[in-house]
Amino acid sequence: MHWAVKTLLIVVAGAILGVLVTAAAVRQLPASITNGPWTTSVAIGSPQSDPYTRAAEALHGLFALKRDETIYFTATTDDAGNSLDGRCSYEIRGEDPDARWWSITVYGTDDFLIPNPEHRYSVAKTTVARNANGSFDIRIGGSDRSPNWIPAGSGRFSLTLRLYNPGAVMTTLDPQVVALPTLKRVSCP
Amino acid sequence: MSTRLPWIALAFLVAALVHMGTLYLVPRIVMARALDELGAVNTMHAGQPNPFSRSVARMSPDLLYASCPYDLSKGPLRVTAVVPYRAYYWSVSAYDSATDNFFVRNDQQIAGNSVEIVIIKRGQGLPALGNAPERIVLIAPSDRGLILLRTVIDDEKHEAALAAALRQSSCGTVASKTGLR
């Protein structure tokens, strides 16, 4: 084979490999910190973030705020590590995280809201139905229809937990001291 | 084997360069596309971006947004950001062309019910400024970017009033006069 043709083929193969490596690297939001099923990165929204975080964030969570203003946790699995599936039913239990305002939102694998006839997409600090002691139980997926229920379609989905103006302990992101809601699978067809 | 080594090295070198290049370009391309979709530059668009549209990933359905895509090549930008009455949470934030959040202030960090933000690029003259209850001058890292206002819909009953309050905010180009470097 002529050396010029060989060079061209090698360059094209290298370029394809480079694009594939980038695609794999930004396939999901970075997860440098894990707390139960919840993951986040300290660099989200920051001008000091690394190129991988910045590229993944652009694709999966554009216009994030810096950590001292808002912390974004993502869950793609339940507490047991199983991928979240909209046909199954999940229960999120907890108390108010240490933040001025919080919300939990369901997104499809394309990072957009999952259309549903009930127009239920999220539960927030200001809208959640609470137990007598102030704690909450949120149902995700399946066909629960309870006040805190959010449908999740019929395939894989993920959750975003937003914590606006997090407290000082929360901003440490230390899983040893930061208490986040639990996420358990209740049933699956 | 020894004759293959240079070709393998070349392939990995090209792969590394393309990998770094695409990592650099992805946020800038995503941001440029988002800015184009958000409407006319240096104009405040209430209700944009819309979490129910498919223009920006992972928007929150619990927030109302207003946005001002800016282009400082047309001159400094003046933003008048009005805090809705009894907002549960409100903030004004600024993003550069690489998607980085280089500025944010929330309602608890503002003394009154509005703040004026003047954004210039490095080397651009500071415009003549009149009186404002509270003013912040920012030097943007890039010519193009976005100002984003957020407010929490704490109760559906408040949504119309919150949306009306967001529409009171504005942004626009102002003429520069003195140099600031």
Short mmCIF file of all heavy atoms in Angstrom, two decimals, chain B residues 25-70:
data_model
loop_
_atom_site.label_atom_id
_atom_site.label_comp_id
_atom_site.label_asym_id
_atom_site.label_seq_id
_atom_site.Cartn_x
_atom_site.Cartn_y
_atom_site.Cartn_z
N LEU B 25 -14.25 21.32 22.27
CA LEU B 25 -15.29 21.89 21.42
C LEU B 25 -16.71 21.60 21.91
O LEU B 25 -17.61 22.42 21.71
CB LEU B 25 -15.13 21.36 19.98
CG LEU B 25 -13.97 21.93 19.19
CD1 LEU B 25 -13.85 21.22 17.85
CD2 LEU B 25 -14.14 23.43 18.97
N VAL B 26 -16.94 20.44 22.54
CA VAL B 26 -18.31 20.04 22.90
C VAL B 26 -19.05 21.12 23.69
O VAL B 26 -20.13 21.55 23.28
CB VAL B 26 -18.32 18.69 23.65
CG1 VAL B 26 -19.63 18.47 24.38
CG2 VAL B 26 -18.08 17.55 22.67
N PRO B 27 -18.51 21.63 24.82
CA PRO B 27 -19.27 22.64 25.55
C PRO B 27 -19.49 23.92 24.75
O PRO B 27 -20.55 24.55 24.87
CB PRO B 27 -18.43 22.90 26.81
CG PRO B 27 -17.09 22.35 26.52
CD PRO B 27 -17.26 21.28 25.50
N ARG B 28 -18.52 24.29 23.94
CA ARG B 28 -18.64 25.53 23.17
C ARG B 28 -19.69 25.39 22.07
O ARG B 28 -20.44 26.33 21.79
CB ARG B 28 -17.27 25.91 22.62
CG ARG B 28 -16.35 26.41 23.74
CD ARG B 28 -14.88 26.36 23.42
NE ARG B 28 -14.09 26.89 24.53
CZ ARG B 28 -13.74 26.17 25.60
NH1 ARG B 28 -14.08 24.90 25.70
NH2 ARG B 28 -13.05 26.74 26.58
N ILE B 29 -19.75 24.22 21.45
CA ILE B 29 -20.76 23.99 20.40
C ILE B 29 -22.16 23.93 21.03
O ILE B 29 -23.11 24.53 20.53
CB ILE B 29 -20.44 22.69 19.63
CG1 ILE B 29 -19.18 22.88 18.79
CG2 ILE B 29 -21.62 22.29 18.75
CD1 ILE B 29 -18.65 21.61 18.15
N VAL B 30 -22.27 23.21 22.16
CA VAL B 30 -23.57 23.10 22.84
C VAL B 30 -24.04 24.48 23.27
O VAL B 30 -25.21 24.85 23.10
CB VAL B 30 -23.46 22.16 24.07
CG1 VAL B 30 -24.72 22.23 24.92
CG2 VAL B 30 -23.22 20.73 23.61
N MET B 31 -23.12 25.29 23.81
CA MET B 31 -23.49 26.63 24.27
C MET B 31 -23.89 27.52 23.09
O MET B 31 -24.90 28.24 23.17
CB MET B 31 -22.31 27.26 25.02
CG MET B 31 -22.64 28.58 25.69
SD MET B 31 -23.84 28.36 27.03
CE MET B 31 -23.81 29.97 27.79
N ALA B 32 -23.14 27.46 22.01
CA ALA B 32 -23.45 28.30 20.84
C ALA B 32 -24.83 27.95 20.30
O ALA B 32 -25.62 28.83 19.95
CB ALA B 32 -22.38 28.11 19.77
N ARG B 33 -25.12 26.65 20.26
CA ARG B 33 -26.43 26.23 19.75
C ARG B 33 -27.55 26.68 20.69
O ARG B 33 -28.60 27.16 20.24
CB ARG B 33 -26.45 24.70 19.60
CG ARG B 33 -27.58 24.20 18.72
CD ARG B 33 -27.49 22.71 18.54
NE ARG B 33 -27.67 22.00 19.81
CZ ARG B 33 -27.65 20.69 19.96
NH1 ARG B 33 -27.40 19.94 18.92
NH2 ARG B 33 -27.82 20.12 21.13
N ALA B 34 -27.31 26.56 22.00
CA ALA B 34 -28.32 26.98 22.97
C ALA B 34 -28.57 28.49 22.86
O ALA B 34 -29.71 28.95 22.89
CB ALA B 34 -27.89 26.61 24.39
N LEU B 35 -27.49 29.25 22.73
CA LEU B 35 -27.65 30.72 22.62
C LEU B 35 -28.45 31.08 21.38
O LEU B 35 -29.29 31.99 21.41
CB LEU B 35 -26.27 31.39 22.58
CG LEU B 35 -25.46 31.32 23.88
CD1 LEU B 35 -24.09 31.94 23.69
CD2 LEU B 35 -26.19 31.99 25.03
N ASP B 36 -28.20 30.40 20.28
CA ASP B 36 -28.95 30.67 19.04
C ASP B 36 -30.43 30.36 19.22
O ASP B 36 -31.29 31.07 18.71
CB ASP B 36 -28.38 29.84 17.88
CG ASP B 36 -27.02 30.36 17.42
OD1 ASP B 36 -26.69 31.51 17.75
OD2 ASP B 36 -26.29 29.60 16.75
N GLU B 37 -30.72 29.28 19.98
CA GLU B 37 -32.11 28.87 20.14
C GLU B 37 -32.87 29.73 21.14
O GLU B 37 -34.10 29.77 21.13
CB GLU B 37 -32.17 27.39 20.60
CG GLU B 37 -31.78 26.42 19.50
CD GLU B 37 -31.88 24.98 19.96
OE1 GLU B 37 -32.31 24.72 21.09
OE2 GLU B 37 -31.51 24.09 19.16
N LEU B 38 -32.13 30.43 22.02
CA LEU B 38 -32.81 31.18 23.08
C LEU B 38 -33.33 32.54 22.60
O LEU B 38 -34.00 33.23 23.36
CB LEU B 38 -31.87 31.35 24.28
CG LEU B 38 -31.63 30.06 25.07
CD1 LEU B 38 -30.55 30.24 26.11
CD2 LEU B 38 -32.93 29.60 25.72
N GLY B 39 -33.01 32.93 21.38
CA GLY B 39 -33.61 34.16 20.85
C GLY B 39 -32.59 35.26 20.62
O GLY B 39 -31.38 35.05 20.70
N ALA B 40 -33.11 36.46 20.31
CA ALA B 40 -32.27 37.60 19.96
C ALA B 40 -31.29 37.93 21.08
O ALA B 40 -31.63 37.84 22.27
CB ALA B 40 -33.15 38.81 19.66
N VAL B 41 -30.07 38.31 20.69
CA VAL B 41 -29.06 38.64 21.70
C VAL B 41 -29.37 39.99 22.34
O VAL B 41 -30.06 40.83 21.78
CB VAL B 41 -27.63 38.67 21.11
CG1 VAL B 41 -27.22 37.29 20.64
CG2 VAL B 41 -27.51 39.70 20.00
N ASN B 42 -28.83 40.14 23.56
CA ASN B 42 -28.95 41.38 24.32
C ASN B 42 -30.41 41.79 24.53
O ASN B 42 -30.75 42.98 24.55
CB ASN B 42 -28.15 42.51 23.64
CG ASN B 42 -26.69 42.12 23.48
OD1 ASN B 42 -26.17 41.28 24.22
ND2 ASN B 42 -26.02 42.72 22.52
N THR B 43 -31.25 40.78 24.66
CA THR B 43 -32.68 40.97 24.91
C THR B 43 -33.11 39.96 25.96
O THR B 43 -32.71 38.79 25.89
CB THR B 43 -33.50 40.73 23.61
OG1 THR B 43 -32.98 41.57 22.58
CG2 THR B 43 -34.97 41.01 23.82
N MET B 44 -33.91 40.38 26.93
CA MET B 44 -34.39 39.45 27.96
C MET B 44 -35.60 38.68 27.43
O MET B 44 -36.54 39.28 26.91
CB MET B 44 -34.77 40.22 29.22
CG MET B 44 -35.08 39.35 30.42
SD MET B 44 -33.66 38.40 31.04
CE MET B 44 -32.75 39.68 31.93
N HIS B 45 -35.53 37.37 27.56
CA HIS B 45 -36.63 36.51 27.11
C HIS B 45 -37.22 35.81 28.34
O HIS B 45 -36.61 34.87 28.86
CB HIS B 45 -36.13 35.46 26.12
CG HIS B 45 -35.44 36.05 24.93
ND1 HIS B 45 -36.12 36.51 23.83
CD2 HIS B 45 -34.12 36.29 24.68
CE1 HIS B 45 -35.26 36.99 22.95
NE2 HIS B 45 -34.04 36.87 23.44
N ALA B 46 -38.37 36.26 28.80
CA ALA B 46 -39.03 35.59 29.93
C ALA B 46 -39.64 34.29 29.43
O ALA B 46 -40.14 34.23 28.30
CB ALA B 46 -40.10 36.50 30.51
N GLY B 47 -39.59 33.26 30.24
CA GLY B 47 -40.15 31.97 29.85
C GLY B 47 -39.19 31.12 29.03
O GLY B 47 -39.53 30.03 28.60
N GLN B 48 -37.99 31.62 28.80
CA GLN B 48 -36.97 30.86 28.08
C GLN B 48 -35.74 30.71 28.98
O GLN B 48 -35.36 31.67 29.63
CB GLN B 48 -36.55 31.57 26.79
CG GLN B 48 -37.60 31.53 25.71
CD GLN B 48 -37.62 30.19 25.00
OE1 GLN B 48 -36.87 29.29 25.35
NE2 GLN B 48 -38.50 30.06 24.03
N PRO B 49 -35.07 29.59 29.01
CA PRO B 49 -35.48 28.33 28.39
C PRO B 49 -36.66 27.70 29.11
O PRO B 49 -36.87 27.94 30.30
CB PRO B 49 -34.22 27.48 28.52
CG PRO B 49 -33.51 28.04 29.70
CD PRO B 49 -33.81 29.50 29.72
N ASN B 50 -37.38 26.90 28.38
CA ASN B 50 -38.57 26.28 28.92
C ASN B 50 -38.27 24.82 29.26
O ASN B 50 -37.85 24.07 28.39
CB ASN B 50 -39.67 26.37 27.85
CG ASN B 50 -40.98 25.78 28.32
OD1 ASN B 50 -41.03 25.01 29.27
ND2 ASN B 50 -42.04 26.13 27.62
N PRO B 51 -38.47 24.41 30.52
CA PRO B 51 -38.14 23.04 30.90
C PRO B 51 -38.95 22.00 30.14
O PRO B 51 -38.60 20.82 30.12
CB PRO B 51 -38.43 23.00 32.40
CG PRO B 51 -39.32 24.14 32.66
CD PRO B 51 -38.99 25.18 31.65
N PHE B 52 -40.06 22.41 29.53
CA PHE B 52 -40.90 21.45 28.79
C PHE B 52 -40.54 21.41 27.30
O PHE B 52 -41.08 20.63 26.55
CB PHE B 52 -42.38 21.79 28.99
CG PHE B 52 -42.77 21.69 30.43
CD1 PHE B 52 -42.84 22.82 31.23
CD2 PHE B 52 -43.02 20.45 31.01
CE1 PHE B 52 -43.17 22.73 32.56
CE2 PHE B 52 -43.35 20.36 32.35
CZ PHE B 52 -43.43 21.49 33.14
N SER B 53 -39.62 22.29 26.89
CA SER B 53 -39.13 22.22 25.52
C SER B 53 -37.94 21.25 25.52
O SER B 53 -37.56 20.70 26.54
CB SER B 53 -38.69 23.58 25.02
OG SER B 53 -37.48 23.96 25.63
N ARG B 54 -37.32 21.07 24.40
CA ARG B 54 -36.19 20.16 24.33
C ARG B 54 -34.94 20.91 23.89
O ARG B 54 -34.08 20.36 23.18
CB ARG B 54 -36.51 18.99 23.39
CG ARG B 54 -37.72 18.19 23.86
CD ARG B 54 -38.03 17.05 22.93
NE ARG B 54 -37.11 15.95 23.06
CZ ARG B 54 -37.16 15.02 24.01
NH1 ARG B 54 -38.09 15.06 24.93
NH2 ARG B 54 -36.28 14.05 24.05
N SER B 55 -34.84 22.16 24.32
CA SER B 55 -33.68 22.96 23.91
C SER B 55 -32.51 22.82 24.88
O SER B 55 -31.36 22.83 24.47
CB SER B 55 -34.07 24.44 23.76
OG SER B 55 -34.60 24.93 24.96
N VAL B 56 -32.78 22.69 26.17
CA VAL B 56 -31.72 22.59 27.18
C VAL B 56 -32.01 21.40 28.08
O VAL B 56 -33.10 21.28 28.63
CB VAL B 56 -31.64 23.88 28.02
CG1 VAL B 56 -30.56 23.75 29.09
CG2 VAL B 56 -31.37 25.09 27.14
N ALA B 57 -31.02 20.51 28.23
CA ALA B 57 -31.21 19.28 29.00
C ALA B 57 -31.36 19.57 30.49
O ALA B 57 -30.76 20.48 31.03
CB ALA B 57 -30.02 18.35 28.78
N ARG B 58 -32.18 18.77 31.14
CA ARG B 58 -32.34 18.76 32.60
C ARG B 58 -32.70 20.12 33.20
O ARG B 58 -32.14 20.54 34.21
CB ARG B 58 -31.09 18.19 33.28
CG ARG B 58 -31.00 16.69 33.08
CD ARG B 58 -29.96 16.01 33.92
NE ARG B 58 -29.93 14.61 33.54
CZ ARG B 58 -30.43 13.61 34.26
NH1 ARG B 58 -30.96 13.84 35.43
NH2 ARG B 58 -30.38 12.37 33.83
N MET B 59 -33.62 20.82 32.55
CA MET B 59 -34.16 22.02 33.19
C MET B 59 -35.12 21.55 34.29
O MET B 59 -35.62 20.43 34.27
CB MET B 59 -34.92 22.88 32.18
CG MET B 59 -34.11 23.32 30.97
SD MET B 59 -32.68 24.32 31.39
CE MET B 59 -33.46 25.83 31.95
N SER B 60 -35.38 22.44 35.25
CA SER B 60 -36.28 22.07 36.34
C SER B 60 -37.70 22.54 36.07
O SER B 60 -37.91 23.72 35.75
CB SER B 60 -35.79 22.70 37.65
OG SER B 60 -36.77 22.50 38.66
N PRO B 61 -38.69 21.65 36.21
CA PRO B 61 -40.08 22.08 36.04
C PRO B 61 -40.60 22.89 37.22
O PRO B 61 -41.71 23.41 37.17
CB PRO B 61 -40.84 20.75 35.91
CG PRO B 61 -39.99 19.79 36.69
CD PRO B 61 -38.57 20.21 36.52
N ASP B 62 -39.80 23.01 38.28
CA ASP B 62 -40.22 23.75 39.47
C ASP B 62 -39.70 25.18 39.46
O ASP B 62 -39.87 25.91 40.44
CB ASP B 62 -39.70 23.05 40.73
CG ASP B 62 -40.22 21.64 40.82
OD1 ASP B 62 -41.44 21.48 40.97
OD2 ASP B 62 -39.41 20.71 40.73
N LEU B 63 -39.04 25.57 38.40
CA LEU B 63 -38.48 26.91 38.31
C LEU B 63 -39.05 27.65 37.11
O LEU B 63 -39.39 27.03 36.10
CB LEU B 63 -36.95 26.86 38.15
CG LEU B 63 -36.14 26.20 39.27
CD1 LEU B 63 -34.68 26.10 38.85
CD2 LEU B 63 -36.25 27.00 40.55
N LEU B 64 -39.15 28.95 37.23
CA LEU B 64 -39.42 29.80 36.07
C LEU B 64 -38.09 30.45 35.69
O LEU B 64 -37.32 30.84 36.56
CB LEU B 64 -40.45 30.88 36.40
CG LEU B 64 -41.90 30.41 36.56
CD1 LEU B 64 -42.77 31.60 36.98
CD2 LEU B 64 -42.43 29.80 35.27
N TYR B 65 -37.87 30.59 34.40
CA TYR B 65 -36.60 31.13 33.91
C TYR B 65 -36.83 32.36 33.05
O TYR B 65 -37.88 32.51 32.41
CB TYR B 65 -35.87 30.10 33.04
CG TYR B 65 -35.50 28.81 33.73
CD1 TYR B 65 -36.37 27.72 33.75
CD2 TYR B 65 -34.26 28.66 34.35
CE1 TYR B 65 -36.01 26.52 34.36
CE2 TYR B 65 -33.90 27.47 34.95
CZ TYR B 65 -34.78 26.40 34.96
OH TYR B 65 -34.42 25.22 35.56
N ALA B 66 -35.85 33.22 33.02
CA ALA B 66 -35.76 34.28 32.01
C ALA B 66 -34.30 34.33 31.60
O ALA B 66 -33.41 34.12 32.43
CB ALA B 66 -36.22 35.62 32.57
N SER B 67 -34.05 34.58 30.32
CA SER B 67 -32.67 34.52 29.85
C SER B 67 -32.35 35.67 28.92
O SER B 67 -33.21 36.18 28.22
CB SER B 67 -32.41 33.19 29.14
OG SER B 67 -33.23 33.09 27.98
N CYS B 68 -31.08 36.05 28.95
CA CYS B 68 -30.58 37.10 28.06
C CYS B 68 -29.29 36.58 27.42
O CYS B 68 -28.22 36.64 28.04
CB CYS B 68 -30.33 38.39 28.84
SG CYS B 68 -29.48 39.66 27.88
N PRO B 69 -29.38 36.06 26.18
CA PRO B 69 -28.14 35.70 25.49
C PRO B 69 -27.39 36.99 25.14
O PRO B 69 -28.00 37.89 24.58
CB PRO B 69 -28.62 34.99 24.22
CG PRO B 69 -30.10 34.82 24.37
CD PRO B 69 -30.56 35.85 25.33
N TYR B 70 -26.13 37.08 25.52
CA TYR B 70 -25.44 38.35 25.26
C TYR B 70 -24.30 38.20 24.27
O TYR B 70 -23.74 37.12 24.09
CB TYR B 70 -24.96 39.00 26.56
CG TYR B 70 -23.89 38.24 27.33
CD1 TYR B 70 -22.56 38.24 26.92
CD2 TYR B 70 -24.22 37.55 28.48
CE1 TYR B 70 -21.59 37.56 27.63
CE2 TYR B 70 -23.26 36.87 29.20
CZ TYR B 70 -21.94 36.87 28.77
OH TYR B 70 -20.99 36.19 29.47
#
